[in-house]
Amino acid sequence: MDPAAEEARHLGLRFQRGFLAGRRLSAFPWAELEKKLKSSSDALLLLDILQKTILHPLCMKYPPSVKYRRCFISELIKKHESIATEPLDELYDVLADILNKEESTTCYKSYLLPTGDSVTLSETVAIISQGTTGLVTWDAALYLAEWAIENSAIFSNRTILELGSGIGLTGIAICKTCNPKAYVFSDYHHCVLEQLRENIHLNGFVLESETGNHTKMQSQNQRTEVMDLQGPKITAAELDWDSVTKEQLSQLQVDVVIAADVVYDPQITSSLISVLQQLSASKTAGKPPEIYIAFTVRNPDTYHLFQTELGKVGIGWQVVPTHTKNLFLYDLHSNITLLKLLAKTL
């Protein structure tokens, strides 16, 4: 493949990754596209981008919001019209089709994995919906999933507990790429758990409760559904940080604990610290679990409060070095930190 063709192919793939994941349109390489179009009157690049985005099989089956698709195709048309005199019928046909569709309160985002597989999630269109921020995927979850894929040995053949799983991006990516023995998704808000279970289904996992097997944690406050897969045993659990006990957490026998973007509100910090303290004191095969927390530092005071509270209960921490792969698209200017917590010696 000649350099120009390879450059065009790479540009198309960048548009594909960004579009399927529903990234902000302003983050797309529009200037590079315009430059390529001006250097060649050939419309093949635009048609290739169209096939990789709006006409991609994943998009056809699990489409982004109508507004997002409309804005994207409109921008493609603008770029074409700025350098060409003849209209490109395919672009206008797609626009006409989108204009005839009704908007929904939910949309889909798909994240391509290095294995060739993908994680597809149903998300709410609004950032805050039904009183929770858990119905969308945040950048720290993408960052944590990338790091996990690059460090899959930490998760391979081990039992993982995820706190604040949200709608499931990190956990589903780990289950598809890291070969864990068992994975416990957890959250508290009922709407988030409902969306989480839908996304687990969406990615080819079947709840065991649907085949008549339904288990429950030994607590009236926690409901658990277990999935039986060819791969890991997967559980989706309602977990209340304020009421869960050390005994209940110990029963899970977890080797690794992870969480993404759970350090954002000082009001819940004490509850989170309490759970982390109980987990760090639990043992599986004589060892406490490894604990990794990823979060975007939006307010340094909240971050420092978290570190201070960890110190008060005797939990140390170290910053995990930034990983090298950029599998998912997120704001690279975000101040995302990944901490490995160091359990106190008992």
Side-chain angles (χ1 to χ4, degrees):
M1 186 179 291
D2 67 82
E6 176 62 23
E7 188 178 317
R9 186 188 75 85
H10 182 65
L11 184 61
L13 290 174
R14 288 170 65 192
F15 270 89
Q16 180 182 66
R17 290 171 67 207
F19 177 84
L20 293 177
R23 301 307 295 174
R24 294 191 320 271
L25 293 185
S26 60
F28 282 71
W30 297 110
E32 291 179 48
L33 173 61
E34 198 164 6
K35 183 179 178 182
K36 286 290 291 182
L37 292 174
K38 285 179 178 177
S39 67
S40 171
S41 57
D42 193 348
L44 285 178
L45 176 56
L46 279 174
L47 293 177
D48 180 58
I49 290 174
L50 194 61
Q51 289 294 330
K52 283 183 164 73
T53 55
I54 293 178
L55 299 181
H56 189 281
L58 270 174
C59 178
M60 301 294 283
K61 188 173 183 181
Y62 304 115
S65 72
V66 171
K67 180 181 179 182
Y68 186 79
R69 283 176 284 158
R70 185 183 71 244
C71 291
F72 181 83
I73 191 64
S74 297
E75 196 63 35
L76 279 185
I77 290 172
K78 280 183 192 175
K79 297 305 178 190
H80 176 67
E81 289 179 342
S82 70
I83 55 91
T85 54
E86 292 294 321
L88 199 57
D89 290 344
E90 290 87 344
L91 295 177
Y92 291 95
D93 289 343
V94 168
L95 176 61
D97 180 60
I98 292 171
L99 291 174
N100 285 325
K101 296 186 182 301
E102 292 185 7
E103 188 61 272
S104 170
T105 56
T106 60
C107 63
Y108 294 95
K109 294 182 182 180
S110 295
Y111 303 88
L112 303 179
L113 300 172
T115 57
D117 200 351
S118 62
V119 175
T120 294
L121 302 175
S122 172
E123 297 192 358
T124 184
V125 173
I127 290 178
I128 298 177
S129 176
Q130 301 185 68
T132 177
T133 57
L135 292 169
V136 296
T137 297
W138 296 93
D139 282 354
L142 295 167
Y143 184 94
L144 182 57
E146 278 184 351
W147 176 82
I149 291 169
E150 190 171 328
N151 296 275
S152 61
I154 292 173
F155 304 93
S156 179
N157 199 35
R158 304 180 84 186
T159 297
I160 319 300
L161 168 64
E162 182 180 6
L163 301 173
S165 299
I167 56 174
L169 181 277
T170 303
I172 293 171
I174 289 174
C175 288
K176 286 194 170 191
T177 61
C178 298
N179 192 37
K181 179 173 71 175
Y183 198 98
V184 181
F185 292 87
S186 73
D187 214 294
Y188 179 65
H189 199 287
H190 70 94
C191 292
V192 176
L193 285 165
E194 186 178 328
Q195 195 80 55
L196 171 61
R197 292 180 182 119
E198 179 183 335
N199 285 331
I200 289 169
H201 290 152
L202 203 60
N203 287 275
F205 303 133
V206 179
L207 287 164
E208 192 167 279
S209 61
E210 295 170 348
T211 63
N213 260 329
H214 190 173
T215 64
K216 292 193 175 186
M217 289 181 73
Q218 295 175 0
S219 168
Q220 289 184 335
N221 296 324
Q222 279 132 343
R223 295 190 301 275
T224 304
E225 293 183 84
V226 178
M227 285 157 282
D228 184 18
L229 307 176
Q230 292 180 344
K233 173 184 175 182
I234 297 181
T235 307
E238 181 180 324
L239 187 62
D240 184 347
W241 295 350
D242 288 321
S243 64
V244 68
T245 66
K246 179 181 176 181
E247 289 70 31
Q248 289 165 349
L249 292 172
S250 295
Q251 286 173 10
L252 297 175
Q253 289 290 288
V254 297
D255 302 296
V256 181
V257 178
I258 62 170
D261 253 334
V262 292
V263 183
Y264 62 90
D265 183 353
Q267 294 183 356
I268 65 169
T269 297
S270 61
S271 300
L272 174 60
I273 294 292
S274 174
V275 171
L276 294 175
Q277 182 182 15
Q278 293 177 77
L279 285 166
S280 68
S282 65
K283 300 284 182 70
T284 300
K287 294 181 180 179
E290 297 178 39
I291 303 176
Y292 300 91
I293 310 290
F295 50 91
T296 302
V297 182
R298 301 177 181 88
N299 184 337
D301 291 340
T302 303
Y303 174 40
H304 295 315
L305 172 65
F306 178 63
Q307 292 177 318
T308 300
E309 295 301 317
L310 284 174
K312 286 180 180 178
V313 297
I315 300 176
W317 52 269
Q318 63 186 35
V319 176
V320 177
T322 303
H323 57 271
T324 56
K325 292 182 182 177
N326 184 218
L327 301 175
F328 306 123
L329 297 177
Y330 49 84
D331 186 355
L332 294 176
H333 299 293
S334 294
N335 185 9
I336 300 175
T337 297
L338 176 61
L339 296 183
K340 178 179 181 180
L341 304 191
L342 306 173
K344 59 186 177 181
T345 303
L346 297 178

